[in-house]
Amino acid sequence: MRVLTPRGDFVAHPHATDDPTQVGPVDHVFLGLKANSYASAGPMIEPLLHETTSIIAAQNGIPWWYFHGLKGPYEGYRIESVDPGGAVTSALPLDRAIGCVVYAATEIEEPGVIRHLEGTRFSIGEPSGEPTERCAAFSEAAIAGGLKCPVERDLRRDVWIKLMGNIAFNPISALARATMAGICRHDGTRELVVAMMTETVEVARRVGCDPGISIERRLRGAEKAGEHKTSTLQDLEKGKPLELDVLLAAVVELADLTGAEVPTLRAIHAVSDLLNENVVRAV
């Protein structure tokens, strides 16, 4: 695999197999799958597990473990749009879950060639917020590999900070076939992003988390990515199903749960969901 990066291009030769039994039980399973693949991942992951194996899922959006170990009125609530019928929890047991929020912009230029645009931070944390040996061990390994991997006591804050951007830029980029910088330059779509971020922050606060970052600062962070195609736009161009349930559907569901008004999110969700249905139908 060839990686093109501002830090210097390199070629990696990882051991790869489509048979996890050849690998056997490991201490940590790091998932780079799209969240809409989690429910069917059980047979692939099961051979990798021993008694204390952790599962670190690097994903955008609301994770299936979100209300696990979270004290308050929604403790233990299962988000149907994220974990339909408990299928994800069945494949990825909650007691094994370590959260991971990725701050990296990459693109697949062609099979076997990855362009890394910016960002090397992979924030992790336990759903309970407790510092654990398994988090510390994974963090040390990631840092030794040249990544930033802070262990956060409140990873849910990172989840919402990242989601403020993803919930707006990902579906809009697919609907408009636009890069992140292009969305920011256009007055109308920039206003749309602000509206979606505002509604998202309200939902976050209603489930007990304040992202603690201004919308303008979040916009500036997105602009730094430049002419970057979001992962959703990349998937659309390749004819792949779109990872929208954990981004949009989940937040709309939480709005219903908490009574938040999210008309902009509902509208974009409806249109992008129809787009995804058409993509799936064409596969």
Side-chain angles (χ1 to χ4, degrees):
M1 179 175 66
R2 187 181 178 204
V3 180
L4 311 177
T5 169
R7 304 174 73 185
D9 300 349
F10 63 92
V11 176
H13 299 280
H15 173 65
T17 178
D18 60 359
D19 181 5
T21 62
Q22 293 183 0
V23 179
V26 297
D27 292 333
H28 305 283
V29 175
F30 185 82
L31 288 184
L33 302 171
K34 291 298 178 71
N36 47 16
S37 298
Y38 287 173
S40 60
M44 179 183 69
I45 293 173
E46 199 279 331
L48 304 174
L49 305 179
H50 59 57
E51 186 175 339
T52 60
T53 301
S54 68
I55 298 175
I56 299 118
Q59 70 161 97
N60 289 327
I62 302 294
W64 82 101
W65 53 260
Y66 189 86
F67 289 108
H68 175 59
L70 180 64
K71 302 300 181 183
Y74 306 115
E75 182 176 6
Y77 178 82
R78 178 174 58 80
I79 307 171
E80 179 65 23
S81 52
V82 171
D83 187 10
V88 175
T89 295
S90 179
L92 311 176
L94 290 169
D95 63 335
R96 295 186 182 275
I98 291 177
C100 179
V101 177
V102 179
Y103 295 92
T106 61
E107 295 180 359
I108 302 175
E109 288 214 341
E110 60 184 84
V113 180
I114 306 298
R115 180 169 295 279
H116 171 236
L117 300 176
E118 66 160 1
T120 59
R121 180 156 63 98
F122 291 72
S123 298
I124 65 171
E126 295 281 355
S128 66
E130 300 173 358
T132 60
E133 290 184 6
R134 65 182 189 175
C135 276
F138 182 82
S139 174
E140 289 171 5
I143 291 169
L147 302 174
K148 298 175 182 177
C149 189
V151 179
E152 303 289 354
R153 283 186 172 272
D154 184 9
L155 191 69
R156 290 176 180 84
R157 180 174 176 271
D158 284 68
V159 166
W160 286 103
I161 289 173
K162 182 74 183 293
L163 182 55
M164 285 172 66
N166 289 141
I167 200 170
F169 286 101
N170 286 52
I172 293 173
S173 70
L175 292 167
R177 308 298 199 275
T179 64
M180 294 179 70
I183 293 168
C184 290
R185 284 194 301 267
H186 187 274
D187 290 343
T189 51
R190 189 182 183 94
E191 289 179 7
L192 186 59
V193 167
V194 170
M196 295 176 74
M197 286 187 177
T198 300
E199 292 176 7
T200 299
V201 170
E202 177 61 23
V203 174
R205 289 171 176 163
R206 291 194 180 213
V207 294
C209 183
D210 189 338
I213 185 173
S214 71
I215 288 173
E216 278 304 316
R217 182 179 173 187
R218 191 64 187 85
L219 274 169
R220 289 195 299 272
E223 285 177 312
K224 288 182 181 178
E227 303 302 333
H228 170 56
K229 295 181 180 180
T230 69
S231 58
T232 303
L233 177 54
Q234 292 182 58
D235 285 343
L236 177 65
E237 291 180 340
K238 293 178 175 64
K240 296 180 179 179
L242 309 181
E243 187 187 37
L244 293 174
D245 286 343
V246 294
L247 300 182
L248 270 167
V251 179
V252 170
E253 181 178 339
L254 294 180
D256 291 337
L257 179 69
T258 61
E261 295 292 331
V262 291
T264 315
L265 295 181
R266 290 185 191 280
I268 296 298
H269 171 52
V271 179
S272 58
D273 190 52
L274 176 58
L275 173 62
N276 188 47
E277 286 185 7
N278 290 335
V279 170
V280 172
R281 192 177 297 116
V283 173

Short mmCIF file of all heavy atoms in Angstrom, two decimals, residues 3-35:
data_model
loop_
_atom_site.label_atom_id
_atom_site.label_comp_id
_atom_site.label_asym_id
_atom_site.label_seq_id
_atom_site.Cartn_x
_atom_site.Cartn_y
_atom_site.Cartn_z
N VAL A 3 1.25 5.30 0.51
CA VAL A 3 0.62 6.41 1.22
C VAL A 3 1.30 7.71 0.81
O VAL A 3 2.52 7.84 0.93
CB VAL A 3 0.71 6.23 2.74
CG1 VAL A 3 0.04 7.40 3.46
CG2 VAL A 3 0.07 4.91 3.17
N LEU A 4 0.50 8.64 0.31
CA LEU A 4 1.00 9.95 -0.10
C LEU A 4 0.62 10.95 0.98
O LEU A 4 -0.56 11.15 1.26
CB LEU A 4 0.38 10.35 -1.45
CG LEU A 4 0.44 9.29 -2.56
CD1 LEU A 4 -0.28 9.78 -3.81
CD2 LEU A 4 1.87 8.91 -2.87
N THR A 5 1.60 11.59 1.57
CA THR A 5 1.32 12.46 2.71
C THR A 5 2.28 13.63 2.75
O THR A 5 3.44 13.50 2.31
CB THR A 5 1.43 11.67 4.03
OG1 THR A 5 1.40 12.56 5.14
CG2 THR A 5 2.70 10.84 4.09
N PRO A 6 1.84 14.79 3.27
CA PRO A 6 2.74 15.93 3.43
C PRO A 6 3.94 15.62 4.32
O PRO A 6 4.97 16.31 4.25
CB PRO A 6 1.84 17.00 4.06
CG PRO A 6 0.45 16.61 3.68
CD PRO A 6 0.45 15.12 3.65
N ARG A 7 3.83 14.59 5.13
CA ARG A 7 4.92 14.22 6.02
C ARG A 7 5.98 13.36 5.33
O ARG A 7 6.98 13.01 5.92
CB ARG A 7 4.36 13.48 7.24
CG ARG A 7 3.29 14.25 7.99
CD ARG A 7 2.69 13.42 9.08
NE ARG A 7 3.60 13.23 10.21
CZ ARG A 7 3.32 12.45 11.24
NH1 ARG A 7 2.19 11.75 11.27
NH2 ARG A 7 4.18 12.33 12.23
N GLY A 8 5.70 13.01 4.07
CA GLY A 8 6.62 12.15 3.33
C GLY A 8 5.93 10.89 2.86
O GLY A 8 5.32 10.19 3.66
N ASP A 9 6.02 10.59 1.58
CA ASP A 9 5.38 9.40 1.03
C ASP A 9 6.10 8.14 1.51
O ASP A 9 7.32 8.15 1.77
CB ASP A 9 5.40 9.42 -0.50
CG ASP A 9 4.67 10.64 -1.07
OD1 ASP A 9 3.98 11.33 -0.29
OD2 ASP A 9 4.79 10.88 -2.28
N PHE A 10 5.36 7.05 1.61
CA PHE A 10 5.97 5.78 2.00
C PHE A 10 5.12 4.63 1.50
O PHE A 10 3.96 4.80 1.11
CB PHE A 10 6.17 5.69 3.52
CG PHE A 10 4.88 5.72 4.31
CD1 PHE A 10 4.23 4.54 4.66
CD2 PHE A 10 4.33 6.93 4.72
CE1 PHE A 10 3.05 4.57 5.41
CE2 PHE A 10 3.15 6.96 5.46
CZ PHE A 10 2.52 5.77 5.80
N VAL A 11 5.71 3.47 1.48
CA VAL A 11 5.03 2.24 1.10
C VAL A 11 5.01 1.30 2.28
O VAL A 11 6.04 1.07 2.93
CB VAL A 11 5.71 1.56 -0.11
CG1 VAL A 11 5.03 0.23 -0.43
CG2 VAL A 11 5.69 2.48 -1.32
N ALA A 12 3.83 0.78 2.60
CA ALA A 12 3.68 -0.17 3.71
C ALA A 12 3.33 -1.54 3.16
O ALA A 12 2.65 -1.67 2.14
CB ALA A 12 2.58 0.31 4.66
N HIS A 13 3.82 -2.56 3.84
CA HIS A 13 3.54 -3.94 3.44
C HIS A 13 2.92 -4.69 4.63
O HIS A 13 3.55 -5.58 5.22
CB HIS A 13 4.82 -4.63 2.99
CG HIS A 13 5.48 -3.98 1.81
ND1 HIS A 13 5.05 -4.19 0.52
CD2 HIS A 13 6.53 -3.12 1.74
CE1 HIS A 13 5.81 -3.48 -0.31
NE2 HIS A 13 6.70 -2.82 0.41
N PRO A 14 1.68 -4.34 4.98
CA PRO A 14 1.06 -5.01 6.13
C PRO A 14 0.69 -6.45 5.80
O PRO A 14 0.41 -6.79 4.65
CB PRO A 14 -0.19 -4.16 6.38
CG PRO A 14 -0.54 -3.62 5.02
CD PRO A 14 0.78 -3.37 4.34
N HIS A 15 0.70 -7.27 6.83
CA HIS A 15 0.19 -8.63 6.66
C HIS A 15 -1.32 -8.51 6.50
O HIS A 15 -2.01 -7.92 7.33
CB HIS A 15 0.52 -9.49 7.88
CG HIS A 15 -0.12 -10.84 7.84
ND1 HIS A 15 0.20 -11.79 6.89
CD2 HIS A 15 -1.09 -11.39 8.61
CE1 HIS A 15 -0.53 -12.87 7.09
NE2 HIS A 15 -1.32 -12.65 8.13
N ALA A 16 -1.86 -9.04 5.43
CA ALA A 16 -3.29 -8.93 5.16
C ALA A 16 -3.86 -10.30 4.84
O ALA A 16 -3.22 -11.13 4.18
CB ALA A 16 -3.54 -7.98 3.98
N THR A 17 -5.06 -10.54 5.31
CA THR A 17 -5.75 -11.80 5.04
C THR A 17 -7.24 -11.59 5.14
O THR A 17 -7.71 -10.69 5.85
CB THR A 17 -5.32 -12.89 6.04
OG1 THR A 17 -6.05 -14.10 5.77
CG2 THR A 17 -5.61 -12.46 7.48
N ASP A 18 -8.00 -12.38 4.39
CA ASP A 18 -9.46 -12.34 4.52
C ASP A 18 -9.96 -13.47 5.41
O ASP A 18 -11.15 -13.72 5.50
CB ASP A 18 -10.13 -12.40 3.14
CG ASP A 18 -9.78 -13.68 2.39
OD1 ASP A 18 -9.01 -14.50 2.92
OD2 ASP A 18 -10.29 -13.85 1.26
N ASP A 19 -9.01 -14.15 6.07
CA ASP A 19 -9.35 -15.25 6.98
C ASP A 19 -8.83 -14.92 8.38
O ASP A 19 -7.66 -15.16 8.68
CB ASP A 19 -8.74 -16.56 6.48
CG ASP A 19 -9.08 -17.73 7.38
OD1 ASP A 19 -9.86 -17.55 8.34
OD2 ASP A 19 -8.55 -18.84 7.13
N PRO A 20 -9.68 -14.37 9.27
CA PRO A 20 -9.20 -13.97 10.59
C PRO A 20 -8.71 -15.13 11.44
O PRO A 20 -7.98 -14.92 12.40
CB PRO A 20 -10.43 -13.30 11.22
CG PRO A 20 -11.60 -13.83 10.45
CD PRO A 20 -11.10 -14.06 9.07
N THR A 21 -9.08 -16.37 11.10
CA THR A 21 -8.58 -17.50 11.87
C THR A 21 -7.07 -17.67 11.69
O THR A 21 -6.41 -18.28 12.51
CB THR A 21 -9.29 -18.81 11.46
OG1 THR A 21 -9.04 -19.09 10.08
CG2 THR A 21 -10.79 -18.69 11.69
N GLN A 22 -6.53 -17.11 10.61
CA GLN A 22 -5.08 -17.15 10.40
C GLN A 22 -4.35 -16.22 11.37
O GLN A 22 -3.16 -16.37 11.61
CB GLN A 22 -4.73 -16.75 8.97
CG GLN A 22 -5.19 -17.73 7.91
CD GLN A 22 -4.75 -17.31 6.52
OE1 GLN A 22 -4.10 -16.28 6.34
NE2 GLN A 22 -5.12 -18.09 5.52
N VAL A 23 -5.08 -15.25 11.90
CA VAL A 23 -4.51 -14.30 12.86
C VAL A 23 -4.68 -14.80 14.28
O VAL A 23 -3.74 -14.85 15.07
CB VAL A 23 -5.16 -12.92 12.70
CG1 VAL A 23 -4.59 -11.93 13.71
CG2 VAL A 23 -4.99 -12.40 11.28
N GLY A 24 -5.91 -15.20 14.61
CA GLY A 24 -6.19 -15.70 15.95
C GLY A 24 -6.42 -14.59 16.95
O GLY A 24 -6.41 -13.40 16.61
N PRO A 25 -6.62 -14.92 18.23
CA PRO A 25 -6.94 -13.93 19.26
C PRO A 25 -5.86 -12.87 19.42
O PRO A 25 -4.67 -13.18 19.39
CB PRO A 25 -7.08 -14.79 20.52
CG PRO A 25 -7.44 -16.15 20.02
CD PRO A 25 -6.68 -16.31 18.75
N VAL A 26 -6.29 -11.64 19.58
CA VAL A 26 -5.39 -10.50 19.75
C VAL A 26 -5.84 -9.65 20.94
O VAL A 26 -6.94 -9.84 21.46
CB VAL A 26 -5.35 -9.63 18.47
CG1 VAL A 26 -4.81 -10.41 17.29
CG2 VAL A 26 -6.75 -9.10 18.13
N ASP A 27 -5.00 -8.71 21.35
CA ASP A 27 -5.35 -7.84 22.49
C ASP A 27 -6.33 -6.74 22.10
O ASP A 27 -7.20 -6.36 22.89
CB ASP A 27 -4.09 -7.21 23.08
CG ASP A 27 -3.19 -8.24 23.74
OD1 ASP A 27 -3.71 -9.27 24.21
OD2 ASP A 27 -1.97 -8.02 23.77
N HIS A 28 -6.17 -6.21 20.88
CA HIS A 28 -7.03 -5.12 20.42
C HIS A 28 -7.44 -5.36 18.97
O HIS A 28 -6.60 -5.73 18.14
CB HIS A 28 -6.31 -3.77 20.49
CG HIS A 28 -5.75 -3.44 21.83
ND1 HIS A 28 -6.53 -2.99 22.87
CD2 HIS A 28 -4.48 -3.52 22.31
CE1 HIS A 28 -5.76 -2.78 23.93
NE2 HIS A 28 -4.52 -3.10 23.61
N VAL A 29 -8.71 -5.15 18.69
CA VAL A 29 -9.20 -5.16 17.31
C VAL A 29 -9.54 -3.72 16.94
O VAL A 29 -10.38 -3.09 17.59
CB VAL A 29 -10.46 -6.04 17.15
CG1 VAL A 29 -11.01 -5.94 15.73
CG2 VAL A 29 -10.15 -7.49 17.49
N PHE A 30 -8.86 -3.20 15.94
CA PHE A 30 -9.10 -1.82 15.49
C PHE A 30 -9.94 -1.87 14.22
O PHE A 30 -9.50 -2.40 13.20
CB PHE A 30 -7.78 -1.10 15.23
CG PHE A 30 -7.95 0.36 14.89
CD1 PHE A 30 -8.11 1.30 15.89
CD2 PHE A 30 -7.93 0.79 13.58
CE1 PHE A 30 -8.26 2.65 15.59
CE2 PHE A 30 -8.08 2.13 13.26
CZ PHE A 30 -8.25 3.06 14.27
N LEU A 31 -11.15 -1.34 14.29
CA LEU A 31 -12.07 -1.39 13.17
C LEU A 31 -12.01 -0.11 12.33
O LEU A 31 -12.20 0.98 12.85
CB LEU A 31 -13.52 -1.56 13.66
CG LEU A 31 -13.93 -2.91 14.24
CD1 LEU A 31 -15.41 -2.89 14.58
CD2 LEU A 31 -13.63 -4.03 13.28
N GLY A 32 -11.75 -0.28 11.05
CA GLY A 32 -11.80 0.84 10.11
C GLY A 32 -12.97 0.70 9.17
O GLY A 32 -13.01 1.34 8.12
N LEU A 33 -13.96 -0.12 9.56
CA LEU A 33 -15.15 -0.33 8.73
C LEU A 33 -16.08 0.87 8.82
O LEU A 33 -16.07 1.62 9.79
CB LEU A 33 -15.91 -1.57 9.20
CG LEU A 33 -15.17 -2.90 9.20
CD1 LEU A 33 -16.02 -3.95 9.90
CD2 LEU A 33 -14.84 -3.33 7.78
N LYS A 34 -16.94 1.02 7.80
CA LYS A 34 -18.05 1.96 7.93
C LYS A 34 -19.06 1.38 8.92
O LYS A 34 -19.24 0.16 9.01
CB LYS A 34 -18.72 2.20 6.57
CG LYS A 34 -17.84 2.95 5.58
CD LYS A 34 -17.50 4.35 6.12
CE LYS A 34 -16.59 5.11 5.17
NZ LYS A 34 -17.28 5.53 3.95
N ALA A 35 -19.72 2.25 9.66
CA ALA A 35 -20.63 1.80 10.71
C ALA A 35 -21.76 0.93 10.18
O ALA A 35 -22.28 0.07 10.90
CB ALA A 35 -21.20 3.01 11.46
#
